[in-house]
Amino acid sequence: MKLGIIGPLEPVNKISQLIKREFHQIEPFPILYKKAYAEAVPLIAEHQSFLDVLMFAGASPLFYARKHVKQTVPWEFIPRSVSSLLRVLLEIQLTGRYDIRRLSSDLYESSQLYEAYEEVGIPRDILQIYITDHTPHAEDYLDHVCAFHEQHYFQHRTTCCLTALSSVYEKLSGNGIPCFRVDPTTDVVRQTLNKIQLNHLLQVSQQSQIVALLVCIDSSHEYALINDNEYQYIIDKTNVAREIYLFAQRIQAAVAEVGPREFLLFSTKQLLESVTSNYEEISLLQSVKKHTSRTVSIGVGYGKTAQEAKNNASLGMARAEKSGGDRAFIIYSGGKFIGPLQSAPATPLEETKRKIDGRFLAVSEKAGVSVNTIFQLCSIITQQEKNRFTPAELAQLSGVTLRTVNRVITKLTAHGFCFEVGKRVFAKAGRPSRIVELRLP
């Protein structure tokens, strides 16, 4: 894990040394600023893309960065703990020069301060504590904090001040004002690093979680022509399978055909959610609808085990089918679900064309021949593996009269879907029979 550590040199070095001693799975990446934490903003924007987590040395830099930089990875900060405050109060007391009951602070809430004093037996009613109320993300925050401490010290309300801000500490100390910097204890830093490491491991575990997809080819609509032809169904199933395998490549999924109409895919949470933009667009629904005359129902299943994920995917697929197909449901552990997720809705005309197969409809409308006849001729071409016939052969294969076939041939010829390419003589007497070539899409 690459951890960006944002802060002044001294605390960043302290954190980096602790990581090297105790956290061997963390790779520290220092992001230093010299005076004001505003200097870190362009550095965060530059380095955030190749880091796993950002850790701020304090809360104020984090609050400021949130206002100026878009967060793309987890951000953490070292909290202001009572133990760190107690250490500084002990340091002040040991000097024997300052009254710890009279001071100003820019880093603790009043409740934390009073709690620390109660821990050492100093009652609240004898305290003279001043706390700045300015927000850390304000542009003039550092100047305001310095003025705040100076005002109370020079007016003899306080004997010293507490800060966690390096630039404030340096300026006040340079002006002769007793100032103590509250740095986090080693134990507080250790606890924060443990939290970051555990959260990162949890995130990695969740991203690599197995997700199952059960994709089922929807049953044909009552008006779909392929209902009438098993051979055409096999061809169309092959086309749907092609789209499923292309989608599987994008999500790096393993694919298994588990039934006459069903395909089972296994991928990971991170890959699937990334490819689908967190399920805003499941491209498989669109591609099947666009490139075949079928639609699919999709169930996406999450689970603690592969079997649970598969079972949830089956539940999601059943929901999608029951809802009319051409949609997806996502089922999580515990029964929570999202859906239906659908492809872009088709216009009434597009939906009608899809139901009866747009390829056949286009020829039918142009030539003035019924769509069923066009479909039947296409099926004959597929089954016979040729597209040249005599009218008598077509009449026999399609089960209609020769007169009907000749009328169809005339219409198709007039619109460029049929051509006479030769003649055949079947007997010594009699007229030769013409040979026509069907050029249907």
Side-chain angles (χ1 to χ4, degrees), residues 9-215:
L9 179 61
E10 186 175 339
V12 169
N13 280 343
K14 178 180 178 179
I15 296 168
S16 298
Q17 290 170 8
L18 179 61
I19 290 173
K20 291 176 182 177
R21 287 197 311 269
E22 301 182 18
F23 296 88
H24 304 298
Q25 293 181 341
I26 298 178
E27 179 184 347
F29 185 88
I31 301 177
L32 304 173
Y33 56 84
K34 294 182 178 179
K35 294 182 178 180
Y37 46 66
E39 299 171 13
V41 167
L43 298 175
I44 295 170
E46 178 183 355
H47 299 303
Q48 185 175 206
S49 61
F50 62 83
L51 297 171
D52 297 306
V53 185
L54 285 178
M55 183 173 77
F56 294 78
S60 296
L62 181 141
F63 293 147
Y64 184 85
R66 277 179 177 166
K67 185 179 177 182
H68 296 86
V69 183
K70 182 180 179 181
Q71 180 179 346
T72 59
V73 298
W75 288 6
E76 293 287 348
F77 69 95
I78 301 175
R80 298 163 177 172
S81 67
V82 172
S83 61
S84 299
L85 177 58
L86 286 172
R87 183 190 62 78
V88 174
L89 291 177
L90 177 61
E91 179 186 347
I92 297 172
Q93 190 69 14
L94 289 175
T95 66
R97 300 170 58 189
Y98 310 106
D99 187 352
I100 61 174
R101 297 169 299 178
R102 296 172 54 213
L103 53 80
S104 58
S105 170
D106 58 52
L107 72 159
Y108 283 95
E109 299 288 340
S110 59
S111 59
Q112 286 181 296
L113 283 167
Y114 292 141
E115 180 183 339
Y117 281 102
E118 288 173 0
E119 290 285 343
V120 295
I122 301 176
R124 181 180 303 192
D125 55 3
I126 66 171
L127 297 177
Q128 192 172 328
I129 307 294
Y130 300 92
I131 303 172
T132 180
D133 59 355
H134 214 51
T135 54
H137 53 73
E139 296 293 338
D140 63 342
Y141 178 68
L142 296 177
D143 292 335
H144 172 85
V145 168
C146 289
F148 165 80
H149 288 300
E150 290 172 347
Q151 176 186 359
H152 289 292
Y153 179 75
F154 289 128
Q155 291 180 359
H156 306 292
R157 297 172 183 167
T158 62
T159 61
C160 62
C161 60
L162 302 178
T163 186
L165 304 169
S166 296
S167 59
V168 172
Y169 172 79
E170 292 173 3
K171 182 175 181 180
L172 294 179
S173 299
N175 291 340
I177 298 175
C179 185
F180 293 84
R181 188 170 65 195
V182 183
D183 293 326
T185 63
T186 300
D187 189 56
V188 171
V189 176
R190 183 182 292 113
Q191 290 177 22
T192 305
L193 289 171
N194 275 322
K195 176 186 175 183
I196 289 173
Q197 191 170 43
L198 287 172
N199 286 341
H200 179 69
L201 290 173
L202 179 61
Q203 182 184 25
V204 170
S205 174
Q206 289 175 340
Q207 289 175 344
S208 59
Q209 178 184 2
I210 294 295
V211 179
L213 294 86
L214 190 59
V215 183

Side-chain angles (χ1 to χ4, degrees), residues 352-369:
T352 300
K353 287 184 177 181
R354 186 188 66 78
K355 288 174 182 176
I356 62 175
D357 197 330
R359 295 173 299 164
F360 306 136
L361 185 63
V363 178
S364 171
E365 290 176 345
K366 186 173 182 181
V369 178

